[in-house]
Amino acid sequence: SSGINAEWPLRPGAPKKGKKKKSGKKRKSAKGPAIIDGISTEEMSKEQLEQHIHRLREEMEREREERNYFQLERDKINTFWEITKRQLDESKALLRNKDREREPIEDSPQ
């Protein structure tokens, strides 16, 4: 097996292997209300908040679809890699066997 970590480029932001996240109580942030389109969420009307929720849900759905697409692409690439690696190993074995078959012919006196 080569030293290549197949997860590295595919999981940006993922914690590195061997490192453990610190566990403990999370503190509440000292941030105020969120500002959306120049208006704080506290100042928004119910309709504005509902529109914003709708936009966030649409964005979340697009992100989910994109994530699923990239997971499928990753799986296709991994499958292709495994098949190609197996074919290479089989070709190397075939070549070794042919070389062994040729050895007695080359060693015999002419």
Side-chain angles (χ1 to χ4, degrees), residues 8-96:
W8 173 75
L10 302 173
R11 294 184 55 213
K16 293 180 181 171
K17 287 189 174 186
K19 299 225 176 189
K20 294 184 179 178
K21 285 189 172 184
K22 294 180 182 177
S23 62
K25 293 185 179 180
K26 292 186 178 182
R27 298 180 186 164
K28 285 190 175 181
S29 79
K31 293 181 183 177
I35 307 293
I36 299 148
D37 297 332
I39 305 170
S40 79
T41 53
E42 291 177 347
E43 297 171 358
M44 287 183 158
S45 69
K46 181 179 177 183
E47 184 179 318
Q48 288 173 315
L49 286 170
E50 287 172 349
Q51 288 173 351
H52 182 64
I53 289 168
H54 181 70
R55 284 195 307 265
L56 288 174
R57 285 188 175 145
E58 287 176 341
E59 181 182 353
M60 186 176 71
E61 184 59 30
R62 281 192 305 273
E63 294 291 337
R64 185 176 289 133
E65 287 172 2
E66 189 174 273
R67 177 178 155 261
N68 290 342
Y69 170 78
F70 285 116
Q71 284 178 336
L72 288 172
E73 288 298 303
R74 180 197 60 199
D75 291 345
K76 285 183 202 174
I77 290 168
N78 283 339
T79 301
F80 176 75
W81 167 257
E82 290 168 7
I83 290 169
T84 305
K85 188 173 186 312
R86 188 179 67 240
Q87 289 173 339
L88 177 62
D89 292 342
E90 289 170 359
S91 296
K92 284 180 178 179
L94 187 62
L95 188 60
R96 277 193 306 273

